[in-house]
Amino acid sequence: MNRIAVVVPAHDEQASLPGCLISVLGALRHLPVRSEVIVVADDCRDGTATVAEGLGAVVVTVRARSVGRARAAGMAYALRHGSDGLWLVTTDADSRVPHRWGGWQLRHARAGTDLLVGTVRVTDWAVRSQQVRERFEVRYRQGLTAAGHRHVHGANLGCAATAYERLGGFSDLRSGEDHDLVERGRRRAMRVVADAGCPVRTSARRHGRAPHGFAGYLDALDGRPVAR
C-alpha cells in the first residue's frame, strides 16, 4: 500500500469537524505514504465545507441525507486515480482518532487485510445518564473476545480499495452501511480483521445524523424511541 484516503461524511458538522480533522491530519502526518482527507458535505446548511477546506481537506458535496451514500461518494472520489496501492479509511465528524491510528491502519493494510474493523471509546458522557453509560459499557465489554471483537463502527473502519470494489462499495443506506459492508466481506470469505487495539474516541451526543446510528443505539439503551 502506498496511498491512504480518509473519508469523513458530514451533515451540518462545523462545530465537531475541526477536532476530527486535526486528529486525522495528525495521525497521517508522518506516514511514509501519500494521504488525503475527503469530507463529504451532505446537504449542509452551515459552514461545514468552509471549515473542511480551511483545514486542508478535499470537499465533496452531495444532497443525499444518507450516510451510506455520503460515504460511497467520498470513496468514489478517493478511487478517481484507481484502486492499486490504495487503502480506504472512514471515520465520523464527531470522532477523534489517536495519533497512532494512521500507522495502525497502514500496518494492517500492508499485512494483507481486506477489511479492518476497529472499536470506539466514549470519553464524555455528560449528555447521557449514568444508566446509559453502565449499560453501554457492559454490553461493549461482552463484545470483546480473545480473537478480537464483534463491533462494527463507521468511525473506525479501513478497507483495501481492491476489496471495496469487489464488494460493490457501500450500499445506499441511511444507516448500517458499515455493518452491511463488513457482513458482505465475511460472506465472501475476505480477510476481515477485528482489532480492538486502537479505539477511536466518539461522542455520546443525543442528536445523531443517522436514524439508527450510534446515537440511536444509546437512545435505545435509555428507553427512548429511535428517530426514523
Side-chain angles (χ1 to χ4, degrees):
M1 294 291 176
N2 53 31
R3 294 183 291 148
I4 290 182
V6 180
V7 172
V8 184
H11 170 65
D12 290 346
E13 294 281 14
Q14 69 174 26
S16 298
L17 198 55
C20 171
L21 294 183
I22 289 168
S23 72
V24 169
L25 291 166
L28 299 176
R29 185 166 295 126
H30 300 296
L31 295 185
V33 296
R34 288 177 291 155
S35 63
E36 69 175 342
V37 180
I38 303 159
V39 172
V40 184
D42 184 5
D43 196 26
C44 293
R45 292 159 292 184
D46 65 356
T48 291
T50 301
V51 168
E53 289 171 346
L55 287 168
V58 175
V59 175
V60 174
T61 302
V62 298
R63 292 189 178 278
R65 290 301 298 269
S66 163
V67 68
R69 196 181 301 176
R71 283 199 214 275
M75 296 299 186
Y77 183 87
L79 284 159
R80 68 197 182 280
H81 299 307
S83 59
D84 288 347
L86 176 62
W87 182 253
L88 299 168
V89 190
T90 186
T91 190
D92 291 336
D94 64 332
S95 299
R96 309 290 183 267
V97 307
H99 187 73
R100 60 192 180 88
W101 187 70
W104 175 73
Q105 292 277 348
L106 185 59
R107 284 192 299 276
H108 278 284
R110 290 182 166 176
T113 298
D114 288 316
L115 279 158
L116 174 60
V117 188
T119 54
V120 299
R121 182 166 54 94
V122 178
T123 55
D124 182 4
W125 287 99
V127 298
R128 296 286 181 174
S129 68
Q130 183 65 23
Q131 173 181 271
V132 169
R133 177 175 184 171
E134 291 172 355
R135 287 177 175 175
F136 170 78
E137 291 179 346
V138 167
R139 294 188 184 190
Y140 210 78
R141 284 194 299 270
Q142 290 172 345
L144 302 177
T145 69
H149 64 88
R150 294 190 292 269
H151 304 295
V152 178
H153 303 282
N156 196 1
L157 190 64
C159 186
T162 51
Y164 181 82
E165 287 185 323
R166 291 200 305 275
L167 290 171
F170 283 114
S171 298
D172 182 6
L173 299 171
R174 291 189 66 205
S175 58
E177 77 294 338
D178 44 4
H179 290 262
D180 173 72
L181 185 75
V182 171
E183 179 58 30
R184 283 185 282 131
R186 287 179 169 142
R187 289 201 304 264
R188 293 276 297 272
M190 289 185 171
R191 188 179 179 192
V192 179
V193 177
D195 183 352
C198 194
V200 164
R201 288 188 294 127
T202 198
S203 77
R205 65 184 179 186
R206 287 190 173 275
H207 303 291
R209 302 304 190 259
H212 297 281
F214 190 67
Y217 173 72
L218 295 180
D219 285 346
L221 292 181
D222 201 20
R224 299 176 64 204
V226 178
R228 295 186 181 275

